Amino acid sequence: MNVAGEHPTAQQAGQSAESHPADVGRRDVGSAESVRAGRSWWDANADEYQAEHGDFLGDARFVWGPEGLDEEQAGLLGEIAGKSVLEIGSGAGQCARSLLARGARPVALDLSYRQLQHSRRIDAAHGVHVPVVQADAAALPFADGAFDLAFTAYGALAFSPDGGAIMREVHRVLKPGGRWVFSLPHPIRWAFPDDPGEEGLTATHSYFDTTPYVEQDEDGRATYVEHHRTLGMRVREVAAAGFRIVDLVEPEWPEDLAQVWGGWSPTRGRRIPGTAIFVCDRD
């Protein structure tokens, strides 16, 4: 699971003080610039991210978001034993490793080479092996109908300039009857400042403005980019790719969870949704 979250995301996902961007704001970003920034940012910050959030994520735990909704209890993927499963935006492969332990045949894909190195490190520590692939989720290097199931837990979609391309690629590599489940920051959160306290409960930005959030260096080059789509836009991406939505899950914040993760916190999570999980079938 790769959770950066929302503006000012990079600092909150574990970026060191020395690597803070020269400028932050919103502007249009080309696809190549966005992908390049995403790969570079996650490569540079993977170590700190895993160190900071590794205890919550575990080595072989499958959670759909900061609320800690566990797939083993939620069962959103359905039956997984013996199934070929593609994890997109896998980070260090914690979710894929969890499925491996339950009898699935997972492959973990991520844009960041350094994140995949962490996956190999954890594999070695546990004596297991999850195959990893470095690639852009909008251009999956797999044959048509290669997988039974596909999912992403906070990976890829929020960082991609073309969510529709990801949907189409996932549809292509899934077998008929396959399932695609993806979680991402709930779109409504785009309207609120990324503050875990009371300040984060007052809308300050238009929900309908989809201009990307960008951090850039002193030369104006994007170093981190996050993309927003409204709920309706995501539904249209799913439908246009040929999927049928069978559920939309908005996890409530658990009473016993005190963790603060960037803008996610009990204060906000008990009042506004932090995560949206789309469950989609390929007919």
Side-chain angles (χ1 to χ4, degrees):
M1 182 173 78
N2 280 344
V3 179
E6 300 166 309
H7 31 284
T9 44
Q11 294 96 326
Q12 293 173 338
Q15 181 166 304
S16 64
E18 292 78 6
S19 59
H20 282 176
D23 187 31
V24 300
R26 296 176 190 255
R27 67 171 173 84
D28 292 330
V29 182
S31 179
E33 183 182 17
S34 180
V35 171
R36 181 172 58 249
R39 180 185 293 110
S40 297
W41 193 89
W42 282 106
D43 279 345
N45 291 276
D47 293 358
E48 289 182 63
Y49 178 85
Q50 294 297 333
E52 181 176 354
H53 301 300
D55 287 345
F56 176 77
L57 296 175
D59 288 346
R61 183 187 181 200
F62 191 147
V63 290
W64 284 108
E67 299 86 359
L69 179 65
D70 194 293
E71 169 58 15
E72 193 163 3
Q73 279 73 53
L76 302 182
L77 286 173
E79 177 58 47
I80 57 95
K83 299 291 182 66
S84 56
V85 187
L86 174 62
E87 178 177 11
I88 293 173
S90 62
Q94 288 93 341
C95 297
R97 205 168 290 108
S98 170
L99 296 183
L100 179 69
R102 296 173 57 201
R105 296 180 286 110
V107 173
L109 178 143
D110 202 279
L111 186 64
S112 166
Y113 179 70
R114 186 58 180 163
Q115 287 280 49
L116 296 178
Q117 285 184 311
H118 281 286
S119 186
R120 288 292 179 85
R121 169 184 60 81
I122 297 172
D123 276 0
H126 292 275
V128 299
H129 175 67
V130 173
V132 297
V133 176
Q134 184 186 13
D136 184 345
L140 296 173
F142 305 107
D144 296 358
F147 296 95
D148 298 304
L149 305 167
F151 74 93
T152 184
Y154 267 76
L157 280 167
F159 309 105
S160 173
D162 194 349
I166 293 177
M167 303 289 181
R168 292 190 296 274
E169 279 291 272
V170 171
H171 187 276
R172 179 184 64 79
V173 304
L174 278 178
K175 297 173 183 176
R179 174 160 287 189
W180 161 231
V181 184
F182 62 91
S183 67
L184 70 172
H186 198 290
I188 193 62
R189 290 171 60 93
W190 190 256
F192 296 85
D194 199 28
D195 186 316
E198 295 289 333
E199 293 296 321
L201 294 171
T202 301
T204 57
H205 191 80
S206 172
Y207 165 78
F208 301 101
D209 181 1
T210 59
T211 306
Y213 168 81
V214 181
E215 299 178 359
Q216 59 190 27
D217 62 21
E218 60 274 8
D219 296 318
R221 290 186 296 258
T223 57
Y224 178 92
V225 182
E226 191 161 341
H227 299 269
H228 163 63
R229 300 291 182 268
T230 66
L231 272 175
M233 293 171 74
R234 289 296 184 200
V235 168
R236 287 189 286 277
E237 287 178 347
V238 168
F243 287 106
R244 175 171 52 90
I245 297 175
V246 296
D247 202 358
L248 174 58
V249 181
E250 298 167 295
E252 294 187 45
W253 194 272
E255 288 295 328
D256 60 349
L257 182 61
Q259 171 176 292
V260 173
W261 181 333
W264 285 267
S265 68
T267 300
R268 298 181 79 196
R270 291 177 184 142
R271 302 190 201 181
I272 59 173
T275 297
I277 310 173
F278 289 76
V279 183
C280 314
D281 282 350
R282 184 194 193 284
D283 292 330

